Amino acid sequence: MVSRVIPVDPFDLVIFGGTGDLARRKILPGLFRRFCAGQMPDESRIIGAARSEIDDDGYRAMVRESIREFGGVSEEQEASIDDFLGRIGYEQVDATGEAGWEALAARMTEDRVRAFYFSVGPSLFGALAERLHSYGMASAKARIVVEKPFGHDLGSARALNATLAQHFDEEQIYRIDHYLGKETVQNLMAVRFGNTLFEPLWNAQYVDHIQITVAETVGVGGRGGYYDKSGAMRDMVQNHLMQLLCLIAMEPPARFEPNAVRDEKLKVIRALDPVDPHHIVRGQYDAVGSEPSYRTDVEAPRSTTESFVAMRVHVSNWRWAGTPFYLRTGKKLRGRASEIAVVFKDAPHSIFGVDKGRHANVLSIRLQPNEGMTLDVTIKEPGPGGMRLVEVPLDMTFADALGPDAEAVPDAYERLIMDVIRGNQTLFMRGDEVEAAWAWTDPIIEGWQSRGDVPKLYDVGSSGPEDALMLMHRDGRKWREIRA
Ligand code: NAP
């Protein structure tokens, strides 16, 4: 594979929350890798901004440490860290105060792309947008990158959209969902729309059902306070799983352009039926041995927040009428796996007899681990003994397929940040998409609240509550295995 790095013009990038966890783990190491790939012209500037009292050198030391800890740096790259640090600076800024803002504005270079990454809590988004405007930084070439969560319901998302719109045009607002930056997710579009093979079959006539699973082995970590107010529905389904569902279900856009793609995604969300409460299972992980329960982790002994959701969803349109989409996500499950599986219908008639083993074709798209795709096909079991059928995977793991160049595949954050610099919004959510997703999610959560719904317990290290298995069994189907 020849790696092709698209050159960009020099840019200024300000990371609000530049001392925080996300900046240290993802954004800064990602930028360093792009620098090593030759995608950061000499004059580009990266400025960390937060309240901590540090100077440029103090921040550079922190960035160096972050790159070493989280960057997966090779020996060759290690030698480039000093060059990279030459582009780094720091400004002490309080999002809600006035200190530091003039100094920050003075660091901006005239007439070049400037991106402002809001890597801070969502309560500060409005204050940042307002100050960028009042200190003259919201130029025509300015872009803002907004992290999740984008609101906690329709009302708050609308209010946030309205606040940002006071200072920035929609074309300047990049709502980030890092799932969309994953190689496989983009490959999903390449597979669907770059081949003639799949698209004719991509409908209710040939697809039995679709499963989307995002299983995590981790618990709430240090985010217990935030998570307990949010839960799996808000934290994962409304954004990440919804985005994956949209890409799987959408009609072919006329062009691979931001609004063409986002128009099609929006139509999917608007075509979602309200979910029957019998088709949703909420779960909460329970202690096993020395593994604490969710309630212990979030220090809320009576919490009824869900750490797991499984649901059956219908997209009511011509293409998908009658085809269920099963979504499932949870914490502290038996394995870490993000996968979309398109399960095709059985062949209409078996010429080999019913007991010879018939298998459905399954196209599975793995987001993590081992990003790649597998197509399960039925073949004859080799050897004597008559015609016995067996299912084998046609496997394309990207790391294998791309060989030594696989490392050159940027991770989701790096790719998306470079898209911001290039001004490409295709893989970012538009304001109306986010609102439509909340409009669909809100009644589900309100229903739980009004019914006083209590999540079903599941063991740490299991595949989720028994009821989630039943959700599928009742339909004569089963979940794909979550491997440990
Ligand atoms: P964090 O570790 O708590 O960092 C927050 C950052 O904001 C710090 O740099 C903090 O620095 C700065 N900050 C706080 N108050 C400020 C103020 N008034 N003015 C200026 N800076 C201020 O949080 P995080 O985990 O990095 O998350 C940042 C955002 O990304 C959140 O919206 C989160 O939901 C989202 N996110 C995070 C992750 C992740 O993996 N961490 C994943 C997805 C989304 P000072 O204290 O020095 O001011």
Side-chain angles (χ1 to χ4, degrees):
M1 186 192 83
V2 179
S3 99
R4 293 195 187 85
V5 172
I6 305 171
V8 294
D9 290 332
F11 58 88
D12 291 344
L13 170 65
V14 177
I15 309 170
F16 291 110
T19 56
D21 178 68
L22 183 67
R24 283 185 292 114
R25 277 193 312 113
K26 291 288 181 187
I27 304 173
L28 291 161
L31 286 166
F32 175 64
R33 283 192 293 270
R34 287 297 90 206
F35 168 78
C36 293
Q39 233 178 2
M40 201 174 290
D42 284 349
E43 311 84 71
S44 301
R45 292 282 161 266
I46 297 167
I47 302 155
R51 293 166 307 175
S52 298
E53 261 183 73
I54 40 177
D55 59 10
D56 284 345
D57 283 341
Y59 189 60
R60 286 183 193 123
M62 200 205 82
V63 174
R64 183 193 298 277
E65 209 178 291
S66 306
I67 292 172
R68 285 191 176 145
E69 191 174 351
F70 303 111
V73 182
S74 65
E75 256 177 53
E76 196 187 330
Q77 289 174 333
E78 175 77 35
S80 310
I81 295 185
D82 281 334
D83 270 358
F84 176 68
L85 293 179
R87 290 157 172 74
I88 301 274
Y90 180 82
E91 206 58 64
Q92 193 184 339
V93 164
D94 186 340
T96 54
E98 307 308 320
W101 282 93
E102 272 178 19
L104 182 64
R107 290 199 188 227
M108 297 290 105
T109 318
E110 274 308 304
D111 200 34
R112 73 158 60 154
V113 166
R114 47 177 79 151
F116 299 97
Y117 199 125
F118 291 7
S119 183
V120 294
S123 61
L124 299 176
F125 293 168
L128 288 176
E130 199 181 304
R131 280 165 182 73
L132 285 173
H133 180 82
S134 59
Y135 285 91
M137 284 180 267
S139 65
K141 288 192 177 173
R143 283 131 209 205
I144 57 172
V145 184
V146 186
E147 262 298 338
K148 81 167 203 186
F150 199 88
H152 58 270
D153 59 11
L154 177 57
S156 54
R158 270 193 186 141
L160 187 49
N161 274 334
T163 305
L164 298 181
Q166 282 172 19
H167 309 294
F168 294 93
D169 294 337
E170 182 61 33
E171 289 65 39
Q172 297 177 289
I173 304 172
Y174 290 71
R175 296 174 194 79
I176 203 162
D177 182 329
H178 68 276
Y179 272 61
L180 295 184
K182 288 181 183 286
E183 185 73 9
T184 344
V185 171
Q186 291 159 73
N187 225 323
L188 167 61
M189 288 188 272
V191 165
R192 275 194 68 187
F193 304 127
N195 297 289
T196 49
L197 194 61
F198 294 109
E199 197 49 28
L201 308 180
W202 211 263
N203 55 53
Q205 202 182 340
Y206 293 101
V207 174
D208 178 72
H209 72 281
I210 289 172
Q211 299 186 22
I212 302 177
T213 297
V214 178
E216 298 178 289
T217 48
V218 295
V220 293
R223 299 163 67 223
Y226 155 75
Y227 192 91
D228 199 46
K229 288 195 205 81
S230 164
M233 191 72 189
R234 288 190 172 102
D235 191 51
M236 297 297 291
V237 178
Q238 184 273 345
N239 39 54
H240 305 315
L241 276 81
M242 178 72 79
Q243 288 295 317
L244 299 180
L245 169 67
C246 285
L247 294 178
I248 279 280
M250 73 182 183
E251 295 301 313
R255 283 171 299 281
F256 190 58
E257 281 177 6
N259 282 331
V261 172
R262 298 184 304 176
D263 286 346
E264 295 307 334
K265 283 172 25 197
L266 180 61
K267 284 185 209 162
V268 173
I269 305 176
R270 291 189 172 152
L272 286 173
D273 280 348
V275 182
D276 179 335
H278 296 102
H279 294 159
I280 307 192
V281 177
R282 294 170 83 212
Q284 193 185 74
Y285 61 82
D286 199 10
V288 172
S290 60
E291 287 282 349
S293 68
Y294 173 85
R295 289 176 174 187
T296 305
D297 275 352
V298 299
E299 297 173 14
R302 279 195 286 277
S303 171
T304 56
T305 302
E306 77 285 354
S307 59
F308 176 99
V309 187
M311 60 205 302
R312 188 173 107 184
V313 171
H314 285 274
V315 180
S316 271
N317 62 16
W318 194 280
R319 183 186 286 263
W320 294 117
T323 306
F325 288 70
Y326 297 92
L327 314 184
R328 166 177 66 157
T329 183
K331 291 194 173 294
K332 289 267 183 169
L333 295 174
R334 69 190 302 255
R336 172 173 174 260
S338 299
E339 184 200 66
I340 303 166
V342 181
V343 182
F344 291 91
K345 290 186 173 167
D346 283 345
H349 165 70
S350 171
I351 65 168
F352 307 110
V354 284
D355 55 349
K356 297 286 183 181
R358 288 168 68 192
H359 307 274
N361 296 123
V362 180
L363 177 67
S364 76
I365 300 139
R366 290 187 306 278
L367 278 67
Q368 61 194 20
N370 307 327
E371 277 195 68
M373 297 194 189
T374 307
L375 178 64
D376 292 344
V377 291
T378 300
I379 60 163
K380 176 188 171 300
E381 194 176 312
M387 185 61 98
R388 289 187 316 276
L389 304 184
V390 64
E391 183 184 294
V392 293
L394 294 179
D395 193 349
M396 195 181 79
T397 299
F398 294 153
D400 299 340
L402 301 177
D405 283 335
E407 277 178 26
V409 175
D411 95 348
Y413 276 96
E414 332 172 16
R415 175 189 308 272
L416 293 173
I417 293 171
M418 294 322 289
D419 278 355
V420 175
I421 303 298
R422 281 189 288 262
N424 183 351
Q425 289 186 304
T426 309
L427 300 174
F428 295 83
M429 294 176 291
R430 209 169 50 194
D432 51 3
E433 259 184 272
V434 176
E435 289 183 16
W438 279 121
W440 178 79
T441 313
D442 277 359
I444 299 173
I445 297 173
E446 284 158 14
W448 291 337
Q449 285 163 350
S450 67
R451 290 191 300 276
D453 189 89
V454 177
K456 310 281 183 215
L457 294 179
Y458 62 96
D459 285 349
V460 168
S462 69
S463 299
E466 195 68 20
D467 289 31
L469 303 181
M470 291 312 296
L471 179 74
M472 277 282 204
H473 283 197
R474 278 202 308 263
D475 295 348
R477 301 185 174 102
K478 65 177 193 210
W479 291 106
R480 286 169 61 81
E481 195 186 338
I482 300 173
R483 295 215 170 86

